[in-house]
Amino acid sequence: MKFGEIVAPTIKELFVQRIEGMILSGVLRPGDSLPTERELADEMKISKTMIHEGIRELSRLGFLDVVSRKGVMVADYAQNGNLDTLMAIMRYNEGRLDEKTMGSLLEVRGFLECPALEKLAERHTKEDLELLEKLLEEARNVPKDDIPALANALFRFHRAIIFLSGNTITPLIFNAFMSASLAFWKDYIRITGAEASLKQLEDFLYCIRHNNGKEAARMLQEGLKKFPCDSLISAPAD
């Protein structure tokens, strides 16, 4: 069995992670000016070259603006960011997001999954139902006290709904949210309990099997609205 080489982050990557963290945590805010590259290099005890390359990377990610004769400023990444920015946000703090960002993420999830539930309920196949039944059974077989494993099983079930609906792009977006989604499911299980979490999967499958996509979408939206996003800030990580 081969386990592969362990590669440590480079100095540039560590610099990028540090500045990303300061921006995403609110220590640095849009419009704030950064010190000069020389000042950053002296304060952080790394080379000016690493600072320069790191700033270029952070600019590409939508976190910084390099303005001629004004220096480097923190950008409004919500307006100027891209898919790479989103991925950086998803990686931050192992997917444990602030209340506002998690609320936005749950809203996006509703945009993606509600239409998928309606489409799948309208035109599912026998094979679609068999796959969802298999994923439900796998979730049932997870020990109820193994919250990370159960969270993963819930994620796989909902990802299958997205995939089986037939859109080839939405599963990729759903996967991009995986780290934050798993953090959500862990907290959801802690709050509602393992049995209630599994019962919800059963209800979704029942609605899909009986061509009632609108009811499934309504259940999903109700669940997303009721979930207290502020619990994600204080909940312990596994």
Side-chain angles (χ1 to χ4, degrees):
M1 181 182 294
K2 294 183 179 180
F3 291 93
E5 180 183 3
I6 296 176
V7 180
T10 65
I11 296 297
K12 186 189 86 170
E13 290 169 341
L14 291 173
F15 170 77
V16 168
Q17 291 170 12
R18 174 75 63 84
I19 302 300
E20 279 180 356
M22 294 177 73
I23 293 172
L24 293 172
S25 66
V27 174
L28 290 173
R29 299 182 178 277
D32 286 351
S33 295
L34 261 62
T36 66
E37 291 184 4
R38 172 54 61 194
E39 290 169 337
L40 285 170
D42 290 343
E43 185 173 347
M44 302 180 83
K45 309 302 181 187
I46 60 177
S47 73
K48 186 179 174 182
T49 299
M50 292 296 100
I51 296 290
H52 182 74
E53 292 182 0
I55 287 174
R56 288 182 60 187
E57 177 66 8
L58 287 161
S59 177
R60 185 187 70 80
L61 291 171
F63 289 113
L64 296 179
D65 279 331
V66 181
V67 183
S68 179
R69 292 191 294 277
K70 288 189 177 180
V72 180
M73 303 177 69
V74 177
D76 186 346
Y77 62 84
Q79 293 192 56
N80 303 319
N82 50 50
L83 186 58
D84 289 331
T85 316
L86 175 61
M87 295 303 296
I89 294 170
M90 293 300 102
R91 291 191 301 268
Y92 174 65
N93 200 22
E94 298 182 345
R96 308 199 70 79
L97 308 177
D98 61 85
E99 182 178 354
K100 181 179 179 181
T101 304
M102 180 54 76
S104 298
L105 177 58
L106 294 182
E107 188 175 359
V108 170
R109 184 183 154 202
F111 294 154
L112 295 176
E113 195 168 351
C114 285
L117 282 165
E118 294 190 26
K119 287 181 181 178
L120 188 56
E122 180 183 347
R123 50 176 183 262
H124 58 265
T125 66
K126 177 184 175 183
E127 290 74 21
D128 294 338
L129 294 178
E130 288 175 349
L131 175 58
L132 291 175
E133 287 167 356
K134 176 176 178 290
L135 291 171
L136 176 57
E137 188 61 26
E138 289 176 0
R140 288 191 184 117
N141 289 333
V142 174
K144 300 301 183 290
D145 59 348
D146 191 345
I147 292 179
L150 185 53
N152 199 282
L154 296 178
F155 176 82
R156 290 199 307 272
F157 184 93
H158 284 272
R159 182 175 59 187
I161 290 172
I162 295 284
F163 174 75
L164 294 173
S165 70
N167 190 301
T168 59
I169 300 300
T170 48
L172 303 179
I173 301 173
F174 204 76
N175 280 332
F177 298 154
M178 184 173 184
S179 59
S181 294
L182 290 176
F184 163 81
W185 285 120
K186 290 173 188 175
D187 292 320
Y188 183 86
I189 295 164
R190 291 187 183 99
I191 292 170
T192 64
E195 290 297 340
S197 301
L198 292 170
K199 177 63 167 58
Q200 188 181 63
L201 300 192
E202 295 172 4
D203 292 342
F204 283 131
L205 181 53
Y206 179 88
C207 288
I208 293 169
R209 181 182 286 115
H210 292 85
N211 308 101
N212 196 348
K214 290 192 181 298
E215 174 61 15
R218 186 198 66 76
M219 285 168 29
L220 177 67
Q221 286 286 23
E222 283 298 309
L224 295 177
K225 288 177 182 177
K226 290 179 181 178
F227 190 80
C229 293
D230 57 343
S231 69
L232 295 167
I233 301 172
S234 57
D238 292 302

